[in-house]
Every structure is written in C-alpha cells, then in structure tokens.
Amino acid sequence: MNINKTIGEILREKREEKGLLLRHVSAKLDIDTAILSKIERSERKATKEQILKLAEILDLNKDDLLVQYLSERILYEIKDEKLGSKALKVAEQRMKYINKLNSRN
Amino acid sequence: MNINKTIGEILREKREEKGLLLRHVSAKLDIDTAILSKIERSERKATKEQILKLAEILDLNKDDLLVQYLSERILYEIKDEKLGSKALKVAEQRMKYINKLNSRN
DNA sequence: AATCTATTTGACTAACTTTGTCAAGTTAAT
DNA sequence: ATTAACTTGACAAAGTTAGTCAAATAGATT
C-alpha cells in the first residue's frame, strides 16, 4: 500500500478494481451513496467503524488501512498550523516517553 | 521547556511561580475558574485561543506552548489506538511528501 | 436526441462532542 | 469554625460531524 495516497484514493481504486458500485458498498456500510462518494473524494472523513468494515468488504489489510486512516486524522489536526511538523516530532518524543513510563510499571 | 510535561503541568507551575490565583488568570481568559482548574489537571482541553492568551498572561513562549498543545492534541487522537505510533510515523512521512509537492508548485 | 445508470452536489437535519456555567463539596491555613 | 482556593459533577449552550434526500451532472446505450 502506497502511504502517500489518501484513504479515499485507496478505497476508490480498490472498489473499482473489484467492479463494485458505490451503491453496493454503501449498502453494506448502511449509509447513503452520497457519503461514500464524499469519503472517496476526501470531502468527508470516514468513521473508524466504516474503515474497518471497508477493509473487510474490499479485502484490504485492516491494520494498514487503519494506520492510513489514523495518520490522515493526525494530519488533519495540524493542516493549518505552521508549527505542525514540529508538533508531530514532539508528539513522537512524548509518545516514546509515555511508553517508557508504562513499560516500567 | 520540558516537552514531557503536560500542558496542564506547565501552566500550573508557571501560574504558581508567578503567585497568581486561578481566579486571576481565568478572569483574563473570561472563563470560569472551574475550567481553568480542569485544564491544569488535564481533565479538559484548552482551545488554541486560550493557549495563546495564557502564553501572554504567564510570559511563556507562544510557539513553544503551541507546539506542546498541538502535540498533545495529536496524542489525544491516538491515545487508545494500538497502531498509534505507527500512524504517527506514517503521518510524518506523508507530511514530508506533501511539503515536497507543495514546494514544487 | 432520449433514456438509463452511476456519481456528485448542496440544502437540510440529527447525533454527538466540546465548551461553558453554576452550586455544592474539599482542602488547608488561620 | 471561618475563610479562601480549588475541585467536582450535573447540566446547558454552542459547535462539529455524520447522515438523508432530491436534484444536477456525466457518460453510455438505444
């Protein structure tokens, strides 16, 4: 999986590869086709539950898709921030620190 | 600034160092003391605007405090995710990719 | 060119989350 | 035991996100 593709691009490509219509997939997700269309064009965010279902429906690796989804949410959080990439690095360092603490107890 | 402190810890320490009361600072922020108390104990998140005001009130470096704040929001986004640190790394890679694209145009 | 099917768009509503107030409860110093 | 500072929890208001629906567009097919 190419991590530089948006989750929408990944979903649309795989859906088309499988010859499925928006209507087929959105029915399984139990949402209107409009939303799925928007998710595929990155106009809306999916929920975590939808991502997990989509991995099943489209035979995509759940963990990979989830990582892609989470990374996109992270990027969304800092998209308009000039200090975004600094914040990302600090978040990683803090994450390590927290994990170290937790592994001690 | 120690990046492994929570934003709440940083704010409380500096406020106490300056001998200010919750009531003094919360008045300047135009919120109830209850909220500031919760922010300092990490029971609530501050807004970006509050963080910027707090930097002024407490003489903290705005960019440093903002990075700390943003990193905490990022961590919040993945706090319950076992794939969180993988997602963080992928977010950084994607960030680089996006910046590369943008610098070309 | 008319029709049919898939997708997109935009206005609107519903559900949820976040941000806040307020009043009562603790804590600790005097 | 009072007083001042802070904390707690129930609740309301504001804002955001997730959804529906109907109409519009795009592209094949007859």
Side-chain angles (χ1 to χ4, degrees):
Chain A
M1 182 175 309
N2 174 1
I3 64 153
N4 290 318
K5 283 187 183 154
T6 66
I7 200 135
E9 287 165 345
I10 293 167
L11 294 172
R12 174 149 293 187
E13 277 173 24
K14 199 70 196 290
R15 175 174 65 77
E16 291 181 340
E17 224 173 280
K18 301 203 109 190
L20 297 169
L21 299 177
L22 283 177
R23 139 168 80 78
H24 298 138
V25 176
S26 63
K28 293 206 191 188
L29 290 177
D30 193 26
I31 53 172
D32 196 278
T33 59
I35 296 178
L36 185 54
S37 168
K38 284 168 187 170
I39 289 170
E40 288 186 346
R41 286 170 299 104
S42 304
E43 206 189 290
R44 287 271 181 111
K45 283 178 284 183
T47 66
K48 187 183 173 184
E49 289 61 42
Q50 288 165 345
I51 291 299
L52 296 174
K53 267 197 179 176
L54 283 163
E56 279 182 11
I57 297 167
L58 301 173
D59 296 308
L60 286 160
N61 181 283
K62 266 189 193 178
D63 282 4
D64 289 352
L65 199 63
L66 200 50
V67 165
Q68 200 63 15
Y69 170 71
L70 292 172
S71 71
E72 207 154 297
R73 296 189 62 126
I74 290 168
L75 290 172
Y76 180 82
E77 192 72 40
I78 56 178
K79 67 177 179 338
D80 300 320
E81 298 290 343
K82 77 171 199 296
L83 297 168
S85 65
K86 211 169 242 176
L88 258 181
K89 287 186 194 101
V90 170
E92 274 203 279
Q93 291 179 256
R94 293 180 70 178
M95 183 96 179
K96 277 181 200 153
Y97 178 74
I98 292 163
N99 288 153
K100 203 169 60 182
L101 285 190
N102 290 340
S103 71
R104 271 213 278 277
N105 314 326
Chain B
M1 181 174 311
N2 174 0
I3 64 154
N4 290 317
K5 282 187 184 155
T6 66
I7 200 135
E9 286 165 344
I10 293 166
L11 294 172
R12 174 147 294 186
E13 278 174 22
K14 198 71 196 290
R15 175 175 65 78
E16 291 182 340
E17 223 173 280
K18 301 203 111 195
L20 297 169
L21 299 177
L22 283 178
R23 133 168 85 79
H24 298 139
V25 176
S26 63
K28 293 206 191 187
L29 291 176
D30 193 26
I31 53 171
D32 197 279
T33 58
I35 296 179
L36 185 55
S37 167
K38 283 168 187 169
I39 290 171
E40 288 185 347
R41 286 171 300 103
S42 305
E43 206 189 291
R44 286 270 180 110
K45 283 178 284 185
T47 66
K48 188 184 173 184
E49 290 61 42
Q50 288 165 344
I51 290 298
L52 296 174
K53 266 199 181 176
L54 283 163
E56 280 182 9
I57 296 166
L58 300 173
D59 296 308
L60 287 160
N61 180 281
K62 267 189 191 177
D63 281 6
D64 289 352
L65 199 63
L66 200 51
V67 165
Q68 200 64 14
Y69 170 71
L70 292 172
S71 71
E72 207 156 296
R73 296 189 61 125
I74 291 168
L75 291 172
Y76 180 80
E77 192 71 39
I78 56 178
K79 66 176 181 337
D80 300 321
E81 298 291 343
K82 79 172 195 297
L83 296 169
S85 64
K86 213 170 240 174
L88 258 182
K89 286 185 194 103
V90 170
E92 274 204 278
Q93 293 180 254
R94 293 179 70 179
M95 182 96 180
K96 277 181 201 154
Y97 178 73
I98 292 163
N99 288 153
K100 203 168 60 183
L101 286 190
N102 290 341
S103 69
R104 271 213 279 275
N105 314 325

